[in-house]
Amino acid sequence: MRERDIHHLFVTYYPALKSFAERLVKSSETAEDIVQDVFLRLWEKPSALEEAKANSAYLYQMVRFKAIDYLRREKFMDNAIRNYVANLAEEEEEAYLEEEVYRRMDEAIDTLPPGVRSVLTLSLKGHSAKEVAEMLDIAVETVKKQKQIARRMLRERLVKILLIFVH
Amino acid sequence: MKKYSDYSIIADLLVRSLEEGLTSEEEERLSQWRKENDRHEALYKRLHSSSFWESHPQWKYREEVAEAWKRLYSRRMRKQRMVRRMYWGVAAVVAISIGTFFLWREPSIIEPVVVENETIVPGKKQAELILADGRSMVLNEAMSIRSLEEKGVVIRTEDKALQYVDKRQDEALSYNTLRVPRGGEYTILLSDGTKVYLNAESEMTYPVAFRGEAREVKLRGEAFFEVASNRVQPFIVHTEQFAIRVTGTEFNVRAYADEAPSATLAEGSIQFWKGNQMFPLHPGQQAALKNGEIEIRKVNLEDAIAWRYGVFSFKNIRLEDLLSELARWYDIEIFYQNPSLKDLHFTASFQRSSNMEEVISLLERTQKIKVNVNGKTLIVQNK
């Protein structure tokens, strides 16, 4: 059961945590090692796993500790690094928010039907309705409609909404 | 570290601000946060700009999740093996001293106990797999197949889906059946890479690996297909009354015994076959069989395949049809005190994970009906 939970957390958070770690240590290889260490820890310590399941911010915290640990331990303990670690707190909030906002949006978008999903993804990337229509070879009106549908479905997923009428 | 839980609340507000889903109080709270310092305001602006979504590292890292998991898993196994080796030292001594030889094999299937209760709950991942030799096993959230081999094909569960991996490509056809009960759904990844989502009370029979000229499966009930493209080996879904033939596309097939069967196309193109008559379908079109007649119409794709995305979406639907759909998912029976109630029309949409009380209170909010629950039966009355 533990393996299943860990796998689920891994699939859900790996991209965000790796990107988060990379911001802190500036190396994608080290970032991956750090994320792996964090997940190994979840395997060894059931209470950590429970905490991570209940509160995803905990995973970011674990990554942060490991990252600082790494920065301290590694050879670059010169002044520049010391200053960097000291100022990390300011960047941390931003790093966490950027990764987590992206991840949550991405997760919600992922649950949309394929058609509306591609319209929305292209729109988020800044393409106009006309450009999207050309890229997907559909009518501009369709793009607009699909965008509306996508936004509505997305809102429904972000906040669980229930609606009903009768006639 | 209280800080991070505050961050998490801000993350939630930011996400919903992107979709204009904030209440005015939340709006206020977020604008306070933005005013706290310049960095916050800059971050807010960045998240609301399209360049943020254009090239984010998470895109790239998403592609490597499976590989990274493999690496993590083997690291974990190595660690465990070191611990186990110590036990084996002891075990070997015992075995030799009593003069017996053990062949140890790890059990391939884990089967914890399932707890049943009488309350009504939404459907969940569950199915029964029937192997070619007639053996069957139950699959659900708690039970998985680590690895099983049939005719050179490896069968396992991964990520809550049943998966077939063709290793040898030289054996004859061998068929499995996946049966999803009421109150269930299950996903299966066939050996050609085609993904099939089976809805409640549905059953599909398929070869463990595809040989010959066509990829053919048999379906009862409802399924959504994402067919892996293969022009030379078309994919054919047989139901009792019709067949669908495609080369690679996404579509929904609905063939429950108690209603008019239909097929709906999401992407690409499919051929709807009834006997030797063929009807091509375009995206957004649905072919339905009514009293043996084929009827092709445009449908709202969002509603037709909502279930696949975890949503019920009903537009102007007879109460009887709406409730029979819910009955399959919540595994309940419906009793109407007055048959005319069946013809009331409803429009509703809600998550499939909603609990029964929520759904009932929604239906009752219309002031047209009253619903009582007795065990696993819903009794529908006039208001």
Side-chain angles (χ1 to χ4, degrees):
Chain A
M1 226 27 36
R2 188 142 42 111
E3 183 177 319
R4 196 167 289 258
D5 288 342
I6 294 174
H7 183 253
H8 180 70
L9 285 175
F10 191 82
V11 171
T12 313
Y13 288 100
Y14 172 84
L17 292 175
K18 182 170 175 186
S19 180
F20 177 74
E22 196 179 353
R23 283 168 192 278
L24 306 180
V25 299
K26 317 277 186 220
S27 146
S28 96
E29 248 168 68
T30 314
E32 168 153 3
D33 287 346
I34 287 175
V35 175
Q36 291 221 350
D37 286 347
V38 164
F39 278 91
L40 276 182
R41 182 92 186 119
L42 296 186
W43 237 310
E44 283 151 10
K45 206 172 158 218
S47 63
L49 177 59
E50 286 314 307
E51 178 77 39
K53 271 162 66 185
N55 169 20
S56 71
Y58 182 72
L59 284 169
Y60 287 89
Q61 273 177 65
M62 286 175 79
V63 168
R64 173 189 169 274
F65 280 126
K66 289 251 181 230
I68 291 179
D69 216 35
Y70 164 83
L71 290 170
R72 292 225 169 93
R73 205 176 52 230
E74 288 310 304
K75 46 203 180 273
F76 358 84
M77 204 46 201
D78 57 20
N79 266 340
I81 295 294
R82 225 169 266 138
N83 281 337
Y84 174 67
V85 171
N87 292 325
L88 209 54
E90 281 177 29
E91 284 184 31
E92 218 182 296
E93 180 183 8
E94 274 173 81
Y96 167 78
L97 287 174
E98 283 207 11
E99 298 308 335
E100 192 54 14
V101 169
Y102 185 92
R103 193 194 64 76
R104 290 189 200 180
M105 270 305 265
D106 206 38
E107 191 176 65
I109 290 172
D110 231 30
T111 64
L112 299 177
V116 292
R117 186 170 60 211
S118 32
V119 168
L120 186 71
T121 317
L122 290 171
S123 308
L124 270 174
K125 289 184 177 175
H127 295 289
S128 70
K130 196 164 158 262
E131 286 167 346
V132 176
E134 273 166 19
M135 283 162 143
L136 298 177
D137 198 20
I138 49 178
V140 179
E141 270 315 298
T142 315
V143 172
K144 288 183 180 158
K145 211 170 278 165
Q146 296 240 9
K147 233 165 99 175
Q148 274 174 11
I149 294 174
R151 299 240 129 146
R152 207 192 72 217
M153 292 180 86
L154 208 54
R155 272 203 290 275
E156 280 176 17
R157 282 160 175 71
L158 294 171
V159 216
K160 197 169 149 192
I161 284 181
L162 302 162
L163 48 119
I164 188 160
F165 336 94
V166 71
H167 55 110
Chain B
M1 280 296 234
K2 182 181 158 288
K3 211 164 64 171
Y4 268 80
S5 35
D6 289 346
Y7 292 173
S8 177
I9 293 167
I10 298 295
D12 182 47
L13 295 178
L14 284 169
V15 169
R16 287 192 287 120
S17 78
L18 288 161
E19 282 313 318
E20 290 117 34
L22 291 182
T23 65
S24 53
E25 278 161 37
E26 290 170 330
E27 198 82 68
E28 179 54 32
R29 166 118 205 239
L30 186 61
S31 95
Q32 260 174 25
W33 175 84
R34 282 166 63 185
K35 281 180 206 137
E36 270 169 28
N37 62 47
D38 292 348
R39 301 176 78 113
H40 287 173
E41 181 62 26
L43 176 60
Y44 177 86
K45 292 229 172 78
R46 197 153 68 244
L47 295 180
H48 277 259
S49 77
S50 53
S51 58
F52 177 73
W53 302 96
E54 216 159 62
S55 57
H56 198 282
Q58 283 192 41
W59 262 111
K60 176 172 81 204
Y61 294 153
R62 239 172 92 151
E63 306 291 310
E64 31 178 275
V65 172
E67 275 305 307
W69 171 255
K70 262 191 223 152
R71 276 199 293 278
L72 173 68
Y73 199 80
S74 66
R75 268 182 77 187
R76 166 71 189 159
M77 287 302 123
R78 247 181 322 208
K79 267 196 157 173
Q80 242 179 5
R81 233 173 280 136
M82 272 157 58
V83 178
R84 213 178 284 155
R85 216 168 278 150
M86 298 192 309
Y87 287 117
W88 277 115
V90 180
V93 172
V94 175
I96 292 163
S97 65
I98 57 173
T100 324
F101 194 73
F102 289 102
L103 252 183
W104 188 261
R105 214 181 49 185
E106 263 188 71
S108 58
I109 301 157
I110 324 160
E111 299 198 9
V113 187
V114 196
V115 186
E116 286 282 351
N117 64 19
E118 262 302 296
T119 53
I120 302 174
V121 290
K124 50 186 185 278
K125 298 267 176 203
Q126 57 170 328
E128 183 189 8
L129 172 66
I130 299 132
L131 298 170
D133 61 6
R135 274 185 301 154
S136 82
M137 53 192 69
V138 172
L139 305 171
N140 57 34
E141 296 274 357
M143 299 187 204
S144 61
I145 301 176
R146 199 171 291 164
S147 178
L148 201 113
E149 204 169 308
E150 184 155 339
K151 302 262 184 199
V153 178
V154 173
I155 308 172
R156 62 170 182 239
T157 50
E158 195 161 318
D159 219 7
K160 289 176 198 147
L162 183 62
Q163 210 179 58
Y164 287 78
V165 184
D166 196 354
K167 283 275 165 75
R168 276 192 276 160
Q169 313 215 320
D170 59 352
E171 301 267 354
L173 287 183
S174 157
Y175 289 88
N176 282 183
T177 296
L178 191 67
R179 188 178 291 156
V180 180
R182 286 165 81 89
E185 64 179 355
Y186 215 81
T187 308
I188 168 167
L189 196 63
L190 297 171
S191 61
D192 64 334
T194 292
K195 201 168 186 184
V196 186
Y197 301 85
L198 277 169
N199 204 348
E201 210 174 4
S202 302
E203 182 178 322
M204 186 170 79
T205 300
Y206 49 91
V208 294
F210 295 102
R211 309 283 180 243
E213 287 172 4
R215 297 171 281 169
E216 297 184 73
V217 304
K218 222 165 102 187
L219 174 76
R220 283 222 305 258
E222 182 166 31
F224 185 80
F225 291 85
E226 291 172 9
V227 175
S229 181
N230 182 344
R231 299 221 158 262
V232 292
Q233 206 182 18
F235 195 98
I236 304 171
V237 182
H238 296 278
T239 72
E240 270 182 16
Q241 299 190 48
F242 63 87
I244 299 293
R245 190 188 162 99
V246 306
T247 51
T249 180
E250 296 182 5
F251 59 97
N252 191 67
V253 176
R254 196 175 157 103
Y256 286 113
D258 56 354
E259 59 176 69
S262 67
T264 310
L265 179 59
E267 269 182 18
S269 66
I270 59 176
Q271 298 175 349
F272 184 99
W273 288 79
K274 163 93 177 116
N276 10 341
Q277 292 172 280
M278 190 275 276
F279 303 84
L281 284 190
H282 302 294
Q285 281 188 336
Q286 181 179 77
L289 269 180
K290 285 192 181 138
N291 310 319
E293 292 292 310
I294 291 153
E295 197 182 288
I296 294 182
R297 56 191 185 132
K298 195 129 184 71
V299 292
N300 187 337
L301 207 52
E302 200 191 321
D303 300 335
I305 60 172
W307 72 270
R308 142 86 180 82
Y309 297 95
V311 179
F312 280 116
S313 185
F314 302 107
K315 291 239 166 68
N316 201 6
I317 298 283
R318 288 177 66 239
L319 184 62
E320 187 183 23
D321 296 339
L322 188 157
L323 288 180
S324 76
E325 184 80 23
L326 296 189
R328 272 194 279 271
W329 180 240
Y330 290 93
D331 191 13
I332 48 176
E333 301 297 326
I334 314 288
F335 177 77
Y336 297 87
Q337 276 203 330
N338 173 354
S340 71
L341 288 168
K342 296 178 179 178
D343 290 319
L344 281 176
H345 281 61
F346 283 73
T347 291
S349 91
F350 46 88
Q351 306 274 339
R352 271 157 72 98
S353 56
S354 308
N355 62 39
M356 200 71 241
E357 294 81 66
E358 279 180 293
V359 176
I360 289 174
S361 91
L362 262 175
L363 295 170
E364 287 185 338
R365 217 188 290 165
T366 60
Q367 303 286 322
K368 298 281 178 192
I369 55 168
K370 174 144 183 42
V371 181
N372 285 320
V373 182
N374 184 357
K376 288 203 149 206
T377 303
L378 298 194
I379 300 151
V380 186
Q381 298 168 279
N382 285 82
K383 173 82 182 175

